[in-house]
Amino acid sequence: MRDAKYTHRSERWLPRRGFIAASGLGLTGAALGITGCGPADAVLDDRIPLRQWNPFSAGDGDRIIQMHQRYQDEHPDIDFRAVTFEWGPPFYTKVAMSAAGGRAADVAVLHMSRLASMAPGRLLDPIDTDTLADFGIDENVLLPHVWNQGFHDGELYGLAFDTHPHIHYFNPEICEEAGLLDSDGRLVETHGVEEYLDMCRAVQEVTGDLALSLDTTYSWPFFWTMYRQQDAELTFFEDDFQIDDEAALNAFAVIHQLTEEGLTPRFTNNPGATAVLDNGQAGLLFQGNWEIPSFEDSGLPYSAGEAPDLFGNRRTRADAHCFVLPHQDDRDPERTRASLAYMAWMLRNSLIWSEGGGHIPAYQPVVESDEYQALEPHVHYAGAAENAEFEPDVWFSGSSSRLQSEAAAALNGLHTGSSNPEQALEQFKASLRTLVTTPSPV
């Protein structure tokens, strides 16, 4: 099966939807006509063709282009071409449809949380761990839970490139005035909900407005962080699920109280949540580490650390970008080996990825390097990778998933004040009942 939007192999062979940019050798002119589907490449020389798809734009996009340029400089024997698609459903649909037709790119980047939805074994081909080890990548150079997250039915399908958890940003000037910095200029640690609420109230006294900024349209990460800090499980079966009501209510109650005391905004989207910290309306922000470039660009004072300890630890919702081999009907061994070598090179050189993007490298030798340990504020939240809490392993879970959307709908009432924790829990459970009885689309 072919994607009908990719039927003409010419200079005009561009996707009508979802295409953002292409990077790498052969970006312009006729070269674009052979970008994407590996088997039909018009090979004009004896280099090994290697096609890569990714969802990176904005700050991430700049860094991936920088890394790819270096990769190409060091690998003149590889005819490498990368294409960037719009992040979210358009990208995952593109990868799934192409893999279903057996004509996908040689290698692609997904969110680890979407691995289950990509039908490992059908839409994704396994990564040979012995070959990967030939290039210096095995379970000894990644954190165990991050390495293991890429396995499905005993085979590796996703090789983590990074970990990107939600972290705790703060404005040093506001927090210093509130008496919340230690002698090293770091935010003092709190333990438990009450101490954290006291911290928020101290910040609010300084700002005269809010304390903690959140993306209220996407507060699943805050809920999942608090839920998992209580050791609570969310388990899905074939046509049912099991949720810890008490832990969920505890998490909902924190969100409800923060809102009722005016410590968090009633409505902010992703860019708005960052702006609230930027403009001094709040002194704290719970957001992903991918916002590091935004704060670097703003030039305003900021720093960051791990997620706050609300329920006895600093676990936090996290995801990871991972390299995968989209299914190909006639996979070429030489190109597959080149794909694994490319993955290994990207991991070994992921300091570039972290410096600008804020992501925590999955490859531990980079994290332990002097260069990474000198990065501020990166080194202060690097421990969040060890506290990473990935999402349930079901097809409707993960980044930009239906589970997150349904959770957001239930949590929205807590933010606006239109529902209480008990009502939010019932709405969330009703959504889960619908999801578990919905057939997987792949």
Side-chain angles (χ1 to χ4, degrees):
M1 183 175 71
R2 292 187 59 163
D3 183 344
K5 296 184 178 61
Y6 292 78
T7 54
H8 302 290
R9 296 188 180 283
S10 71
E11 294 179 9
R12 297 185 299 277
W13 188 57
L14 289 169
R16 297 172 191 167
R17 178 174 62 87
F19 177 83
I20 292 180
S23 68
L25 191 66
L27 171 66
T28 60
L32 276 173
I34 57 175
T35 299
C37 300
D41 281 333
V43 179
L44 303 177
D45 54 40
D46 59 357
R47 293 178 299 165
I48 301 172
L50 184 59
R51 305 294 177 256
Q52 193 260 22
W53 290 348
N54 68 77
F56 299 130
S57 58
D60 282 353
D62 293 339
R63 291 295 166 179
I64 204 73
I65 289 173
Q66 184 181 353
M67 292 188 73
H68 283 166
Q69 287 174 337
R70 280 188 54 179
Y71 171 80
Q72 290 176 273
D73 291 342
E74 294 181 20
H75 298 83
D77 57 324
I78 303 293
D79 177 19
F80 179 81
R81 301 177 192 185
V83 180
T84 298
F85 294 87
E86 181 182 348
W87 181 84
F91 176 69
Y92 290 111
T93 301
K94 169 61 184 169
V95 175
M97 291 182 66
S98 300
R103 299 181 60 82
D106 298 296
V107 58
V109 181
L110 305 179
H111 283 93
M112 188 71 85
S113 62
R114 296 299 297 266
L115 209 59
S117 69
M118 295 301 292
R122 289 196 295 119
L123 300 184
L124 300 178
D125 292 335
I127 299 171
D128 184 82
T129 53
D130 290 336
T131 304
L132 197 60
D134 290 344
F135 299 114
I137 304 298
D138 58 23
E139 69 273 19
N140 297 309
V141 295
L142 273 70
L143 292 172
H145 64 293
V146 176
W147 167 263
N148 291 333
Q149 198 69 26
F151 279 80
H152 183 82
D153 287 341
E155 294 200 86
L156 182 66
Y157 286 93
L159 174 64
F161 182 32
D162 60 33
T163 307
H164 46 273
H166 268 64
I167 58 177
H168 202 209
Y169 295 88
F170 63 95
N171 181 313
E173 294 179 355
I174 292 174
C175 291
E176 182 176 33
E177 188 175 344
L180 297 173
L181 299 188
D182 63 19
S183 57
D184 295 323
R186 305 299 307 161
L187 195 64
V188 297
E189 290 190 12
T190 58
H191 302 283
V193 172
E194 288 307 316
E195 286 190 17
Y196 187 69
L197 289 174
D198 286 342
M199 170 182 278
C200 289
R201 291 165 186 140
V203 170
Q204 188 180 44
E205 287 185 13
V206 175
T207 66
D209 194 347
L210 304 168
L212 172 67
S213 185
L214 293 169
D215 178 358
T216 63
T217 65
Y218 172 59
S219 51
W220 160 263
F222 194 39
F223 163 75
W224 188 242
T225 292
M226 292 188 285
Y227 187 75
R228 290 295 300 141
Q229 284 191 2
Q230 299 172 78
D231 292 325
E233 301 284 352
L234 179 56
T235 307
F236 293 97
F237 309 103
E238 186 175 355
D239 57 358
D240 201 359
F241 67 93
Q242 185 170 16
I243 186 171
D244 187 324
D245 285 4
E246 182 179 356
L249 285 171
N250 289 339
F252 289 160
V254 172
I255 296 173
H256 188 249
Q257 186 164 356
L258 284 167
T259 302
E260 290 303 301
E261 290 193 35
L263 297 168
T264 54
R266 288 196 177 274
F267 177 83
T268 46
N269 56 16
N270 181 47
T274 303
V276 166
L277 185 70
D278 256 350
N279 63 25
Q281 279 182 270
L284 306 169
L285 167 69
F286 186 70
Q287 183 57 285
N289 61 2
W290 53 84
E291 292 296 345
I292 291 289
S294 300
F295 289 113
E296 290 292 322
D297 291 344
S298 74
L300 296 171
Y302 87 99
S303 191
E306 292 189 51
D309 165 6
L310 290 162
F311 291 97
N313 54 73
R314 306 190 79 172
R315 295 174 192 158
T316 187
R317 185 267 173 187
D319 204 339
H321 294 115
C322 67
F323 293 108
V324 299
L325 298 176
H327 174 66
Q328 293 182 350
D329 287 340
D330 188 19
R331 179 167 288 284
D332 181 88
E334 187 176 42
R335 293 176 68 155
T336 299
R337 185 174 177 82
S339 298
L340 270 58
Y342 159 80
M343 296 178 189
W345 187 94
M346 293 293 284
L347 263 67
R348 290 195 301 272
N349 291 273
S350 54
L351 181 65
I352 301 172
W353 185 241
S354 181
E355 283 176 325
H359 305 308
I360 303 170
Y363 186 63
Q364 290 305 289
V366 169
V367 176
E368 296 161 0
S369 68
D370 292 341
E371 292 86 351
Y372 186 85
Q373 292 297 312
L375 284 179
E376 297 269 3
H378 308 57
V379 68
H380 297 301
Y381 62 77
E386 298 186 14
N387 287 316
E389 289 295 330
F390 294 97
E391 299 184 14
D393 189 22
V394 287
W395 71 265
F396 48 78
S397 179
S399 294
S400 190
S401 67
R402 287 192 59 184
L403 177 60
Q404 293 188 352
S405 298
E406 296 294 344
L411 292 164
N412 184 58
L414 294 174
H415 291 297
T416 62
S418 63
S419 63
N420 59 39
E422 289 75 16
Q423 292 169 323
L425 178 60
E426 288 309 308
Q427 182 178 347
F428 186 42
K429 291 169 74 170
S431 299
L432 296 180
R433 290 188 195 97
T434 300
L435 288 174
V436 296
T437 55
T438 302
S440 169
V442 297

